Amino acid sequence: MRCPDPEAGKTAAAGGFMPDTGTIVMCQQWAAEQPGEVPNTVAHEMIHAYDDARARLDWTNLVHHACTEIRAANLSGDCSFWREVNRANVSPLRVAKAGERCVRRRAQISVAMNPACTSERAAEAAVDQATTHHHRDTLPRRLRLQTSSWRSRR
């Protein structure tokens, strides 16, 4: 899919999960320019698909959107230390909590792009509300461990 160019000063989307159809789309111009980023982006969008199937998210509810964005940024590798170093978001003076800052930043950017979001402050408030619980939520990664534990108990 060819995605529109972002407005001046806005972040371009690399892809997205379309809840109405349950599909994941990738922006072709971005994927062609950043082929090494495609696996992480697909993983990010698959976490949204998983969350939508598991929790039946209301995508117009900014807190719901923030929850899945926090999980996707946290679990997909979007906010790994070296990715943040490559983005120049980590310096020797700003190493502590770099991952948490990244998760919040990326979640706020995505929530702010939601048509239901009225302002950057509304996006920030939704992320604030969702952060406490979802930063520690590691499903679906935990499912594999639980499944293997269940099998060993049989």
Side-chain angles (χ1 to χ4, degrees):
M1 145 178 218
R2 179 134 185 95
C3 296
D5 292 327
E7 297 174 30
K10 298 288 183 173
T11 302
F17 170 67
M18 303 297 150
D20 295 342
T21 59
T23 57
I24 293 172
V25 297
M26 299 294 293
C27 297
Q28 67 185 27
Q29 70 271 33
W30 174 85
E33 293 170 8
Q34 306 281 338
E37 298 290 324
V38 172
N40 281 347
T41 301
V42 170
H44 180 106
E45 301 309 334
M46 288 180 72
I47 291 166
H48 292 323
Y50 174 85
D51 288 348
D52 192 59
R54 176 181 75 157
R56 294 187 178 94
L57 299 176
D58 174 0
W59 290 88
T60 62
N61 180 320
L62 299 183
V63 176
H64 285 198
H65 189 169
C67 287
T68 190
E69 288 299 340
I70 289 166
R71 286 175 30 74
N74 204 25
L75 298 174
S76 69
D78 283 347
C79 291
S80 72
F81 178 77
W82 290 113
R83 289 173 74 90
E84 280 295 274
V85 168
N86 289 336
R87 292 178 185 131
N89 290 325
V90 176
S91 70
L93 301 176
R94 293 195 69 206
V95 172
K97 299 192 178 194
E100 288 180 39
R101 284 193 310 274
C102 174
V103 168
R104 288 186 61 79
R105 183 183 73 251
R106 294 181 69 82
Q108 286 175 2
I109 289 168
S110 187
V111 171
M113 290 191 283
N114 185 323
C117 187
T118 57
S119 68
E120 288 186 21
R121 178 63 192 123
E124 185 179 349
V127 171
D128 287 346
Q129 190 173 346
T131 296
T132 305
H133 172 72
H134 293 288
H135 195 71
R136 291 179 299 245
D137 186 356
T138 59
L139 281 170
R141 280 192 185 167
R142 228 176 37 219
L143 288 177
R144 193 167 132 212
L145 296 173
Q146 289 174 346
T147 302
S148 56
S149 297
W150 176 78
R151 284 186 192 142
S152 65
R153 284 187 255 151
R154 290 173 75 198

